Amino acid sequence: MPGPIVRAAIHPGLGIARMGNAREYYVGPQVLSPAPAAPGSSHADGLLKREAAEFRIYGYDGEGNVVAELTPANAEITWTAHLAARKASWYKLRAAMDLPAAADFSLERRNPDYPVEQRSDLTIDPGPHSVTGTGAEQELHGTFTYQGQSADAMIGELHTDATGRLRVLSGLGVSGSPTGLPVYVPSETDAFGNATGWYDEACDGPVTASVRIDGNTVPCEGAWVVIAPPNYARDLIGWRTMLDLLTELWEEAGWTPPAAEVSFTRDIYPLLERMTAHQWVNQGFAAYFGAGGPMDFHDPALIDRLARKHGAADVYRGLRRDIFNAFRPVSGDGVSLRSWPWLYGDAFGTFPPTLPANGLPLWPAAAARMQKWVAGDFIEDWGQVAPGPDSIDAVALADQPSMLDRAALHFCLADAFHPGIEVTWPLRHVSIWEKPFRIRARPADDPEPDYGGMLTSARALGPDGPLNAQVPGGLTRWMALPWQADTASCRSGYNRGYDPNLPTFWPVRVPNHVLTAENYARVMDATLDPETRQQAFAERRNWYVPLQKYGPDEMTSMVSHFGEMGVVERRPGPDDLPGVPSELYVEVLGAATAGLKLRGVAAMAGLAREAPDTPEDRAAQEAGWQSHAQREFFRMARMGHTLAGTYDD
């Protein structure tokens, strides 16, 4: 039997909230395999709902056993959160500074001409805010000032639900420049992701709580929250998750033990299946890994060959080896674009394509597990593992804290850190962590030092650098400013000489090509002939159509319309159409978005008619670009002026 409560802890240790422009919200994933999003649940009145990070407090006895969840029903609780947005006062985005090729990096500050004594004007910091009880709500407002012009920014909200749990929400995703400066200046070589005079509401900071039980104070371990860009494909998992990365990091640090055996279901199948899941957000993945493709990892016959040794002969060992060899090795292979997965790596866009980290490789722990699988040293447990719980309430009390910790990071991406979606490369340094899932917080009475006008890689990675105890806003400051400029340009097919749809960045968060609602209706229409329905299923359309702009105007359009973009949601498939899965993922639009998309389709159709009928334009339009010129603009912006022409092959 558990003993008396002697300490408490907040879970998840690192929570993720996501932006939207609707006042309404939903609670983010709390288990590894939650129930799919309900149809239409991502939008409200045509706008994108926010995703809340929900925090809970658990009481532990002296042996570390979970005794109870603590709420106002059995404890006195005051929640406190301190969020800050520091991008504009930080250093410029260029690339991950821990790459060997970045050893000589020296980054200047964003807004470099802003006086040092006034740079606090560029930080949005509402300070700590507290809530208690049930049904509490509090907005977090701060001010961004540039050249004497100010903007009020609501960077977050604190809510307590009917049970007293804390929900941290984003603001409404606003980004802007008080003085009306452009989001991107093509003549500036480092303008991408470093907009002068701009702010956005991406932020982060500590979440703490004071807890009293029967009049006695109980020490409570704090957490951290990150407010990140939206998730436009809520049910899909990235090929490498932040949980994958951090699990390996903590194993290497000796904080957690690695699994003793390799399970096909737990360790191998996700590496394969997640590529097939990419079929719903990228045309290139759909052709090869999707339904009916040569490597459809949803195909029961293929999985049967891979999941079992089939007796002493182990007749499919060669197939396992071929699949393993198809992956990019741990050492990287920056030259070959054909290696799996077809995803860009950390170095892409900043360094020449010969650098190994241009493509995403297997990480060491995954490679080691796959090598055991190839050798036949794995547990043949396919079909024998019960599905995981689809809600946190279905999880045993003792397991809830761990599940909350893991689920929050399971839906975050680890790569490519250029810069990424939720957070970026500093999280892969153990110095930033107090322990698994707990960010090392800098004490309020220990201000962060000034790192000078230029931040070198040596200083950034050094013992006195910023990869140690964190201040509020310390994690998100490394990301692109504004986040919409990056989201508008994290596309596929930048390598013109390879495949118009491949490689790609983060399509499971920001899709490239989608099954539209119009085509879904055709797929499900039994009155149409099978060929028409099959063609509708095979067609993926450009997710970016609603932006209907060119170049920097498209980035600006994303600032205004990010909440009106489509969200990929699960829908039932047909039961009378061979080769089409029983579950499909379809782009769902809010009412306001539908008109915007139709206008975008018309605009693109007109542009395509006016464009020269060249092979370059046809290839660009096949991949969802408006034209070859548009793709070239984003290549120059994303990769920099000096590198854009080196990625043609």
Side-chain angles (χ1 to χ4, degrees):
M1 292 291 292
I5 293 173
V6 298
R7 65 179 182 90
I10 301 172
H11 296 272
L14 177 59
I16 306 295
R18 298 183 190 268
M19 299 180 198
N21 62 342
R23 281 288 179 176
E24 295 189 31
Y25 68 90
Y26 59 88
V27 176
Q30 297 179 303
V31 293
L32 297 178
S33 51
S41 63
S42 298
H43 293 96
D45 298 325
L47 303 178
L48 183 68
K49 289 183 182 179
R50 295 175 289 173
E51 180 178 296
E54 183 179 275
F55 294 91
R56 304 184 179 194
I57 301 175
Y58 291 85
Y60 295 80
D61 67 13
E63 301 297 321
N65 301 306
V66 179
V67 178
E69 182 185 353
L70 301 181
T71 71
N74 56 11
E76 300 172 48
I77 298 171
T78 299
W79 294 94
T80 300
H82 186 174
L83 304 183
R86 296 183 181 273
K87 288 182 183 179
S89 61
W90 194 236
Y91 297 89
K92 290 185 176 182
L93 163 70
R94 188 176 175 191
M97 300 183 77
D98 56 354
L99 293 174
D104 61 348
F105 269 21
S106 185
L107 304 182
E108 70 173 345
R109 303 184 198 264
R110 288 177 173 136
N111 303 296
D113 297 331
Y114 218 76
V116 172
E117 64 273 12
Q118 299 178 23
R119 293 193 66 82
S120 60
D121 291 351
L122 305 173
T123 293
I124 306 170
D125 186 355
H129 283 67
S130 300
V131 290
T132 189
T134 61
E137 296 185 10
Q138 188 168 150
E139 296 182 351
L140 308 181
H141 287 261
T143 301
F144 175 82
T145 301
Y146 183 78
Q147 294 184 347
Q149 300 294 311
S150 297
D152 175 79
M154 185 185 75
I155 63 172
E157 291 186 53
L158 306 181
H159 292 199
T160 55
D161 69 1
T163 62
R165 297 162 181 153
L166 178 68
R167 292 175 176 175
V168 181
L169 286 83
S170 72
L172 298 178
V174 176
S175 303
S177 168
T179 58
L181 292 173
V183 70
Y184 180 77
V185 180
S187 61
E188 298 179 6
T189 59
D190 60 354
F192 176 77
N194 297 306
T196 297
W198 274 68
Y199 72 95
D200 69 17
E201 295 179 352
C203 58
D204 63 277
V207 176
T208 58
S210 66
V211 179
R212 292 174 62 86
I213 299 177
D214 297 329
N216 298 313
T217 299
V218 177
C220 184
E221 194 168 22
W224 206 273
V225 66
V226 167
I227 291 181
N231 183 350
Y232 293 105
R234 289 167 55 185
D235 297 325
L236 301 183
I237 307 298
W239 182 73
R240 190 188 188 201
T241 71
M242 188 63 71
L243 180 61
D244 292 329
L245 183 153
L246 295 177
T247 297
E248 181 176 50
L249 176 68
W250 297 330
E251 289 176 357
E252 292 175 349
W255 288 357
T256 58
E261 299 178 294
V262 173
S263 154
F264 177 83
T265 302
R266 181 191 68 237
D267 300 316
I268 304 300
Y269 183 66
L271 298 172
L272 310 176
E273 190 276 337
R274 291 172 188 174
M275 292 191 294
T276 289
H278 276 65
Q279 70 179 301
W280 307 116
V281 287
N282 179 273
Q283 182 76 67
F285 276 88
Y288 194 77
F289 296 104
M295 284 293 160
D296 176 6
F297 291 112
H298 289 168
D299 179 4
L302 176 58
I303 296 304
D304 181 68
R305 293 194 288 272
L306 302 177
R308 298 188 295 119
K309 284 169 275 191
H310 295 269
D314 197 3
V315 296
Y316 294 111
R317 182 191 295 259
L319 176 60
R320 300 198 303 269
R321 182 182 302 109
D322 289 345
I323 288 175
F324 171 71
N325 288 335
F327 282 93
R328 187 170 290 103
V330 171
S331 59
D333 182 358
V335 178
S336 175
L337 299 174
R338 297 170 176 81
S339 298
W340 300 354
W342 295 325
L343 299 172
Y344 294 123
D346 291 352
F348 180 81
T350 302
F351 303 99
T354 53
L355 198 71
N358 268 271
L360 199 60
L362 278 171
W363 62 101
R369 291 193 290 267
M370 292 200 78
Q371 288 172 326
K372 286 190 173 184
W373 172 64
V374 170
D377 183 13
F378 66 97
I379 303 172
E380 300 174 73
D381 55 2
W382 185 247
Q384 302 173 27
V385 179
D390 63 3
S391 74
I392 191 63
D393 294 331
V395 178
L397 176 67
D399 298 327
Q400 287 182 10
S402 173
M403 179 63 78
L404 291 170
D405 287 343
R406 291 180 293 136
L409 300 176
H410 185 59
F411 286 83
C412 296
L413 302 185
D415 308 291
F417 286 145
H418 197 271
I421 293 294
E422 297 89 4
V423 284
T424 188
W425 62 272
L427 264 73
R428 61 187 174 200
H429 290 263
V430 74
S431 59
I432 221 168
W433 298 94
E434 185 72 33
K435 58 192 296 187
F437 302 103
R438 305 286 174 182
I439 296 293
R440 188 185 305 275
R442 180 176 289 275
D445 59 357
D446 181 22
E448 188 174 39
D450 185 346
Y451 299 110
M454 305 291 289
L455 180 65
T456 65
S457 293
R459 182 70 189 277
L461 302 175
D464 61 344
L467 303 188
N468 294 284
Q470 295 299 294
V471 296
L475 303 183
T476 52
R477 60 188 173 181
W478 302 90
M479 305 297 287
L481 175 65
W483 67 266
Q484 292 100 329
D486 191 34
T487 298
S489 60
C490 58
R491 304 191 181 188
S492 59
Y494 283 106
N495 301 78
R496 295 177 302 184
Y498 179 58
D499 186 298
N501 301 307
L502 295 167
T504 183
F505 277 99
W506 318 285
V508 295
R509 293 294 164 267
V510 183
N512 306 139
H513 323 104
V514 293
L515 178 63
T516 64
E518 297 90 343
N519 276 335
Y520 174 66
R522 295 186 183 98
V523 171
M524 300 301 292
D525 188 350
T527 67
L528 299 177
D529 64 89
E531 183 178 358
T532 298
R533 297 169 69 190
Q534 291 277 6
Q535 289 176 347
F537 170 72
E539 182 182 15
R540 303 289 192 269
R541 293 186 187 171
N542 179 17
W543 180 78
Y544 288 92
V545 164
L547 301 181
Q548 62 179 302
K549 301 291 185 181
Y550 174 78
D553 291 336
E554 186 156 325
M555 297 182 188
T556 303
S557 187
M558 179 65 85
V559 172
S560 302
H561 297 295
F562 80 90
E564 302 162 51
M565 303 297 289
V567 176
V568 176
E569 295 181 356
R570 190 168 77 169
R571 294 289 186 273
D575 56 10
D576 62 342
L577 197 60
V580 177
S582 59
E583 293 179 345
L584 309 178
Y585 285 81
V586 181
E587 181 193 45
V588 177
L589 303 171
T593 318
L596 182 70
K597 183 138 189 179
L598 290 174
R599 293 194 299 273
V601 170
M604 283 191 66
L607 194 153
R609 284 193 299 270
E610 296 170 5
D613 188 19
T614 64
E616 290 84 2
D617 278 323
R618 287 196 296 271
Q621 291 168 13
E622 179 185 348
W625 301 93
Q626 294 178 2
S627 66
H628 173 66
Q630 187 204 38
R631 178 166 65 178
E632 290 307 287
F633 168 81
F634 278 104
R635 276 164 50 87
M636 184 183 71
R638 200 77 169 80
M639 302 179 197
H641 298 63
T642 59
L643 283 178
T646 67
Y647 284 82
D648 294 347
D649 299 322

